Amino acid sequence: MVLLCAGNFFCLACPFMLVRQLARRLFKPRFNWPRALRNKWLSVGLFVLILFTYELFNLWSSPWWTAWLIISYFLAVLVVDGLFKHASFCKFVCPIGQFNFIASTLSPFEVKVREQDVCTRCHTKDCIRGRREPVSGLVTIRGCELALFQPSKVGNMDCTFCLDCVHACPHDNIGILSRLPGSELMVDPIRSGIGYFSRRKDLAALVIVFTFGALLNAFGMVSPVYAVEAWLGRTLHVSNEAPVLGIIFAFFLILQPLLLLGFAAWAMRSWVGKAWAGGHRAFLPLIVRYTYALVPLGFGMWLAHYGFHFLTGLYTIIPVTQSAIASLGWPVLGEPRWTLTGLPSNIVQVVELGFLALGFAGSLLVIHSLAEEDCPGKSLRAFVPWAAVSTLLWIASMWLIFQPMEMRATFMNG
């Protein structure tokens, strides 16, 4: 909800940044991040790995594995930012950060310049170079370490809301300003530190994992998943959960996107014919361009899923606090009232449906905007295939909401 209503305040308050500061006091970063890894492919793989280990090792009920995941995160920050310059971990490694980057494209606020003319007259470019001492040239206030030059920055992608650029700007010309949520998904200018969205296959893959991963994560909590796992286990004659989960993940994150997005691109190219603005688009770049339209729907899925957990357990903080204080021998709040849980499921379901409807509408709006730009004369034909994909995903999300939630377990271990 913070990402939707405000911005990437998750990264702003990230506790791992304390580890970065410690690393830089102990070690002076000497290396630049390898050129071959200056993309999102590593973080996409780590994002998938976290989703996979979440299911395989039952992280929702395993403090041991969760603790090791957190320790691994801290160690990764320490190593990466202790060796490599700039914010390499945030920009190229952190899977949680990538999730926040994608989701924050729908935020109503953005760190950006107030007046472009002021930036044009600025000769020091402190927002990216950092503010320096006049004589020694030492940096006293850091500039943007994610290589986002504010005058040509577009949107929230890769922005951690660290506000280093705000503090470094000598003209007070940068701030957190309001904007139309999702507007950066409707345009494709060259972006500082990113380039063109339509040329970034790695970013499109990240959006696919973000969107289809939301379906996958929700599917892991409903009754039908156990029937599917049991059937796959019998078919493959395996008792180990890993290969079964691997097949389910491959279906949701590889096969399903390939079929749906490939069909939409083929249908659009067939129906539009020669009515393209700016020239005919190749097959893969077309898929990449329209994949970003799935972000609102994917975010709606995540909101509906985690909104369910939050709202159905809204009041549990009361008995948990009572129990914690009582365990210290000071039961001033009385006996824990474990009957206090959260909002009724029928009310929560309405909220979930609202999130999904909002996300669905947002995706349709982005698709319409892209179709109007690509095919002014036949925008409806360009719109329909991608709208059909969004509709199918929305229907699947609705179906998941109405499935009974199960206690987390697996068919292998009960």
Side-chain angles (χ1 to χ4, degrees):
M1 287 300 294
V2 172
L3 285 165
L4 181 65
C5 298
N8 193 2
F9 282 75
F10 276 84
C11 288
L12 172 63
C14 179
F16 299 113
M17 293 305 95
L18 296 175
V19 184
R20 171 190 289 175
Q21 300 308 320
L22 175 62
R24 289 180 175 176
R25 291 188 178 185
L26 297 176
F27 316 101
K28 183 177 181 180
R30 301 175 56 189
F31 306 104
N32 290 316
W33 188 250
R35 185 173 296 274
L37 296 178
R38 292 178 192 176
N39 49 57
K40 302 296 185 182
W41 291 116
L42 176 60
S43 55
V44 168
L46 291 173
F47 191 178
V48 174
L49 182 62
I50 285 182
L51 291 176
F52 187 80
T53 54
Y54 180 80
E55 298 293 339
L56 184 62
F57 298 111
N58 306 332
L59 294 186
W60 60 88
S61 62
S62 177
W64 171 261
W65 283 111
T66 303
W68 274 111
L69 178 63
I70 294 173
I71 291 172
S72 300
Y73 235 95
F74 273 100
L75 290 175
V77 177
L78 190 65
V79 170
V80 172
D81 285 335
L83 294 175
F84 297 99
K85 302 175 185 178
H86 312 302
S88 297
F89 183 83
C90 297
K91 190 175 181 73
F92 302 116
V93 180
C94 181
I96 297 176
Q98 309 312 314
F99 180 98
N100 294 336
F101 290 154
I102 296 295
S104 65
T105 60
L106 301 173
S107 302
F109 295 100
E110 176 188 349
V111 177
K112 61 180 180 180
V113 299
R114 292 186 170 92
E115 297 180 23
Q116 284 287 348
D117 289 344
V118 175
C119 294
T120 302
R121 295 192 300 269
C122 178
H123 301 291
T124 59
K125 314 301 181 188
D126 292 346
C127 61
I128 195 164
R129 296 178 65 246
R131 194 179 298 182
R132 300 169 182 267
E133 287 285 354
V135 179
S136 65
L138 293 175
V139 176
T140 56
I141 302 178
R142 284 195 306 260
C144 180
E145 293 195 298
L146 290 104
L148 303 177
F149 183 45
Q150 279 296 327
S152 54
K153 173 179 173 289
V154 179
N156 284 328
M157 182 61 68
D158 280 3
C159 180
T160 61
F161 270 51
C162 65
L163 305 184
D164 285 343
C165 59
V166 175
H167 299 307
C169 178
H171 310 291
D172 192 25
N173 192 42
I174 305 174
I176 300 178
L177 308 180
S178 62
R179 54 126 191 217
L180 177 66
S183 57
E184 65 192 271
L185 300 172
M186 303 178 190
V187 294
D188 190 29
I190 188 169
R191 304 162 194 255
S192 176
I194 297 170
Y196 294 99
F197 267 6
S198 59
R199 299 179 184 176
R200 291 291 302 269
K201 300 180 185 67
D202 54 333
L203 279 177
L206 183 61
V207 171
I208 287 173
V209 174
F210 177 86
T211 303
F212 289 86
L215 277 175
L216 172 61
N217 195 248
F219 182 66
M221 294 194 62
V222 299
S223 299
V225 69
Y226 303 115
V228 172
E229 287 183 330
W231 175 77
L232 285 172
R234 290 193 303 268
T235 302
L236 299 175
H237 304 290
V238 296
S239 58
N240 191 307
E241 189 180 7
V244 172
L245 279 177
I247 292 174
I248 293 174
F249 268 67
F251 173 77
F252 273 93
L253 301 182
I254 299 176
L255 182 60
Q256 194 177 43
L258 280 175
L259 292 175
L260 291 177
L261 301 179
F263 170 78
W266 171 82
M268 180 180 175
R269 282 164 56 91
S270 301
W271 295 349
V272 168
K274 298 181 179 180
W276 292 85
H280 196 67
R281 289 186 181 271
F283 190 76
L284 185 56
L286 188 61
I287 292 178
V288 171
R289 175 167 168 78
Y290 280 83
T291 294
Y292 298 102
L294 298 177
V295 172
L297 182 56
F299 194 29
M301 296 177 198
W302 285 109
L303 282 174
H305 183 177
Y306 287 112
F308 170 84
H309 294 295
F310 176 74
L311 295 175
T312 54
L314 186 63
Y315 307 135
T316 54
I317 188 174
I318 297 174
V320 167
T321 303
Q322 290 174 316
S323 177
I325 294 179
S327 67
L328 298 174
W330 195 38
V332 293
L333 298 180
E335 289 296 317
R337 297 183 60 187
W338 295 112
T339 55
L340 286 175
T341 53
L343 299 179
S345 59
N346 59 331
I347 295 178
V348 174
Q349 202 167 68
V350 172
V351 176
E352 290 180 281
L353 294 175
F355 284 144
L356 288 179
L358 188 64
F360 182 48
S363 285
L364 293 182
L365 183 62
V366 175
I367 294 169
H368 179 266
S369 177
L370 295 177
E372 284 282 349
E373 180 180 348
D374 286 343
C375 311
K378 295 184 178 179
S379 59
L380 182 59
R381 293 189 181 188
F383 171 83
V384 168
W386 302 101
V389 171
S390 294
T391 302
L392 287 174
L393 294 177
W394 175 69
I395 291 173
S397 304
M398 296 279 286
W399 177 79
L400 284 171
I401 280 182
F402 287 101
Q403 296 303 304
M405 288 286 181
E406 296 288 338
M407 292 298 292
R408 286 284 199 166
T410 70
F411 79 100
M412 305 279 186
N413 59 25

